[in-house]
């Protein structure tokens, strides 16, 4: 339609009128949008797909699978870097955000034309990815050679606010720290002892026109980071961007992280924050937006509400205190959702070889915590639970990212349980590529798509 920013090109190969190829304009990357009720069918297994990709920047000299090389890097890291890097992190964070953002974007403006002229499209996993993505690959690929720690993950995700073309522009941002309202009217005896000191809702509320003039719709933003990292401050600029695109207020909620806390604590914090929000806004006018592991937190919140409405026992059982079966949100956007905590398989095994975010070293660091901080990997995995009664979902994912298989499994499970589920699939991108929008056109496209949905 003329008023839409995307041109919809009907597909002649995908076999259904509800599955189309979308191309914003001629010459730009395209993506697949599917709103069918039927299963979404993938193109081959992850192992087969990898055989046709340009891995390791197209070179064979240095391999992230070389154990000798990795041992040398680990030794040098512990001897030369690890013991003082926290000082470097603090020094970097002491620089004003605007200066850090300007430096980052200026360096990119010099680097990208140089890479385009010298290397073109020779380093990314496929020629069809944008020039920008090839240039970004040449930088981010090397992260798979270096050890990943929780401290490094948390520092990296705290820098999301400088990976933006524009600064935080919201006219009103309110710091939320409320320990009175969330449990108003709740019998104190129903609050489990393990959570009695954790009944304060924390976060930031981004208002378009101020607290006195709430927008009709509200987004509840749940950041990701493999449950080990992620924070409110690092997500504010991205949340503000979506707020401006949709003209909606956004509540960015804070939740506790592993390894200091466990999965039940994260579920409690999310349920408490949603209860608090539903006391201020009509929950039927609330849309959840979850990124990576934040997507699984969103899905579990929706499942809690549906499970309670069906009279089922919740997991953990004490979460029942916070769940109102009449507060189902209008829907949820899930961006690269990490929703299967069972033994890695498919894309989670093979695509870290080229994923720029979830690489081999990230998996080595993150997965052991699932054994120690989840009472049951399968029972806590949203994809292995019932989706009946959930509102419409929108899944944004790359066909070549580490969580692709579980994302499509979620789509198909939701559809089989009667849930309307839109899926938008980009090719040759990494995990949560949407938030690399300051650098790559595919990221900007996906944010436009998400905002329109």
């Amino acid at each position: 339609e003329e008023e839409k920013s995307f041109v919809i090109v009907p597909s002649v190969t995908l076999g259904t009128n509800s599955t189309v190829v979308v191309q914003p304009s001629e010459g730009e990357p395209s993506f697949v949008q599917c709103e069918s009720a039927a299963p979404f069918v993938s193109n081959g297994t992850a192992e087969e797909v990898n055989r046709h990709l340009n891995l390791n920047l197209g070179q064979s000299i240095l391999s992230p699978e070389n154990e000798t090389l990795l041992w040398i890097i680990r030794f040098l890291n512990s001897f030369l870097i690890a013991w003082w890097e926290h000082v470097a992190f603090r020094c970097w964070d002491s620089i004003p955000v605007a200066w850090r953002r300007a430096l980052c974007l200026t360096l990119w403006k010099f680097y990208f034309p140089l890479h385009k002229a010298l290397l073109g499209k020779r380093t990314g996993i496929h020629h069809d990815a944008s020039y920008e993505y090839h240039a970004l690959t040449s930088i981010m690929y090397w992260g798979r050679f270096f050890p990943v720690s929780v401290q490094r993950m948390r520092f990296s995700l705290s820098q999301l606010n400088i990976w933006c073309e524009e600064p935080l522009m919201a006219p009103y941002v309110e710091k939320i720290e409320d320990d009175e309202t969330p449990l108003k009217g709740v019998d104190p005896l129903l609050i489990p002892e393990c959570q009695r000191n954790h009944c304060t809702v924390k976060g930031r509320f981004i208002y378009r026109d101020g607290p006195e003039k709430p927008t009709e719709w509200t987004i509840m933003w749940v950041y990701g980071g493999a449950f080990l990292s992620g924070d409110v401050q690092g997500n504010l600029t991205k949340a503000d961007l979506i707020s401006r695109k949709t003209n909606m207020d956004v509540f960015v909620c804070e939740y506790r992280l592993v390894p200091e806390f466990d999965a039940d604590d994260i579920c409690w914090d999310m349920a408490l924050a949603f209860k608090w929000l539903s006391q201020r806004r009509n929950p039927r006018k609330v849309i959840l937006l979850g990124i990576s592991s934040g997507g699984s937190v969103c899905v579990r919140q929706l499942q809690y509400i549906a499970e309670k409405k069906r009279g089922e026992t919740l997991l953990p059982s004490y979460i029942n205190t916070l769940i109102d079966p009449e507060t189902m949100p209008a829907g949820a956007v899930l961006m690269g959702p990490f929703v299967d905590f069972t033994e890695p398989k498919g894309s989670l095994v093979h695509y870290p070889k080229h994923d720029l975010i979830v690489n081999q070293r990230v998996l080595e660091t993150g997965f052991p915590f699932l054994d120690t901080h989840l009472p049951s990997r399968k029972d806590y995995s949203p994809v292995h639970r019932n989706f009946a009664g959930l509102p419409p979902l929108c899944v944004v994912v790359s066909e070549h990212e580490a969580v692709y298989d579980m994302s499509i499994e979620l789509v198909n499970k939701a559809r089989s349980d009667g849930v309307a589920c839109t899926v938008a699939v980009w090719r040759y991108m990494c995990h949560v590529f949407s938030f690399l929008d300051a650098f790559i056109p595919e990221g900007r496209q996906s944010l436009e798509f998400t905002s329109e949905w």
Side-chain angles (χ1 to χ4, degrees):
E1 299 175 4
E2 288 183 3
E3 64 270 21
K4 295 286 187 181
S5 62
F6 288 125
V7 177
I8 308 297
V9 185
S11 170
V12 295
T13 60
L14 297 173
T16 169
N17 292 331
S18 56
T19 303
V20 295
V21 173
V22 181
Q23 190 166 26
S25 61
E26 187 176 353
E28 289 192 26
S30 60
F31 62 94
V32 171
Q33 177 182 340
C34 177
E35 297 180 347
S36 172
F40 187 90
V41 181
S42 300
N43 297 317
T45 66
E47 187 174 16
E48 292 169 346
V49 170
N50 266 3
R51 296 193 189 107
H52 304 285
L53 299 179
N54 181 49
L55 304 180
N56 298 323
L57 303 181
Q59 56 85 37
S60 57
I61 300 173
L62 298 175
S63 169
E65 310 300 329
N66 186 323
E67 288 299 328
T68 302
L69 177 61
L70 294 179
W71 183 89
I72 294 172
I73 292 174
R74 283 195 295 267
F75 173 77
L76 294 175
N77 171 74
S78 61
F79 184 66
L80 299 175
I81 301 174
W83 59 273
W84 66 272
E85 69 179 9
H86 63 284
V87 177
F89 292 164
R90 284 203 300 268
C91 291
W92 174 255
D93 282 338
S94 68
I95 301 172
V97 172
W99 294 9
R100 284 181 276 154
R101 181 184 302 109
L103 176 62
C104 179
L105 295 179
T106 300
L107 290 174
W108 174 258
K109 287 178 182 177
F110 280 102
Y111 163 76
F112 171 62
L114 189 62
H115 187 282
K116 185 176 180 180
L118 296 178
L119 294 174
K121 291 189 172 185
R122 291 196 287 272
T123 56
I125 61 173
H126 196 278
H127 186 273
D128 286 350
S130 65
Y131 279 104
E132 291 87 344
Y133 191 76
H134 283 260
L136 202 61
T137 299
S138 296
I139 298 173
M140 298 181 67
Y141 165 80
W142 301 103
R144 68 196 66 247
F145 286 90
F146 296 90
V148 171
S149 64
V150 172
Q151 177 178 261
R152 288 179 179 177
M153 289 177 68
R154 290 180 180 178
F155 173 76
S156 297
L157 290 187
S158 72
Q159 303 305 304
L160 275 177
N161 56 357
I162 69 171
W163 298 356
C164 301
E165 293 184 291
E166 298 175 330
L168 181 66
M169 299 172 67
Y172 305 93
V173 179
E174 180 185 3
K175 181 180 180 180
I176 303 299
E177 195 162 340
D178 189 345
D179 60 358
E180 296 182 3
T181 311
L183 295 175
K184 188 178 292 184
V186 175
D187 185 348
L189 296 176
L190 296 178
I191 302 173
E193 185 175 352
C194 61
Q195 301 296 348
R196 283 178 186 168
N197 294 325
H198 301 284
C199 295
T200 301
V201 172
K202 298 179 181 180
R204 295 289 190 278
F205 218 121
I206 299 173
Y207 299 103
R208 296 264 42 89
D209 300 307
E212 296 78 19
K213 296 181 180 179
T215 53
E216 179 183 2
W217 291 83
T218 304
I219 296 171
M220 183 171 178
W221 184 285
V222 186
Y223 51 78
F227 305 117
L228 295 164
S229 57
D231 58 47
V232 171
Q233 196 62 38
N235 280 258
L236 276 184
T237 310
K238 298 296 185 185
D240 176 51
L241 176 63
I242 295 295
S243 176
R244 283 184 277 121
K245 288 180 178 293
T246 59
N247 195 33
M248 297 181 192
D249 293 342
V250 179
F251 173 48
V252 185
C253 65
E254 179 179 316
Y255 60 88
R256 289 168 283 171
L257 299 173
V258 170
E260 294 87 347
F261 301 94
D262 61 24
D264 289 344
D265 297 322
I266 294 172
C267 293
W268 173 269
D269 290 349
M270 174 65 185
L272 186 71
F274 181 75
K275 182 177 178 65
W276 177 88
L277 181 61
S278 64
Q279 292 168 341
R280 283 159 174 70
R281 301 291 173 96
N282 178 359
R284 293 177 178 81
K285 294 285 187 177
V286 170
I287 297 174
L288 306 185
L289 188 152
I291 305 157
S292 188
S293 55
S296 71
V297 178
C298 289
V299 176
R300 283 303 294 130
Q301 178 65 25
L302 300 176
Q303 290 172 333
Y304 281 142
I305 296 171
E307 288 165 1
K308 184 162 184 178
K309 193 160 191 173
R310 292 193 296 267
E312 299 173 4
T313 301
L314 307 188
L315 184 68
S317 59
Y318 62 70
I319 211 82
N320 183 74
T321 305
L322 302 177
I323 304 300
D324 182 343
E326 302 305 321
T327 58
M328 184 67 79
V333 175
L334 311 173
M335 310 190 81
F338 174 43
V339 289
D340 187 351
F341 312 141
T342 58
E343 199 63 26
K345 56 183 179 293
S347 62
L348 196 57
V349 171
H350 298 285
Y351 289 171
K353 294 177 181 178
H354 51 76
D355 197 306
L356 303 182
I357 303 295
V358 181
N359 58 43
Q360 299 97 314
R361 307 293 85 81
V362 171
L363 284 187
E364 289 173 0
T365 299
F367 250 85
F369 287 110
L370 295 180
D371 285 324
T372 56
H373 290 72
L374 281 176
S376 167
R377 280 197 184 190
K378 185 172 183 179
D379 290 342
Y380 277 75
S381 298
V383 76
H384 295 298
R385 301 188 70 86
N386 194 341
F387 282 77
L390 268 62
L393 304 176
C394 175
V395 176
V396 176
V397 69
S398 164
E399 188 178 338
H400 298 90
E401 69 166 284
V403 301
Y404 175 69
D405 283 352
M406 66 177 74
S407 297
I408 298 306
E409 186 178 358
L410 179 148
V411 169
N412 293 338
K413 180 70 163 58
R415 288 176 174 178
S416 69
D417 287 343
V419 177
C421 192
T422 298
V423 58
V425 181
W426 276 256
R427 305 190 77 190
Y428 313 121
M429 296 291 106
C430 63
H431 184 51
V432 292
F433 66 96
S434 303
F435 297 98
L436 300 172
D437 59 294
F439 309 108
I440 60 174
E442 295 91 344
R444 293 188 286 275
Q445 287 176 11
S446 66
L447 290 186
E448 289 293 340
F449 171 83
T450 299
S451 300
E452 287 197 4
W453 187 87

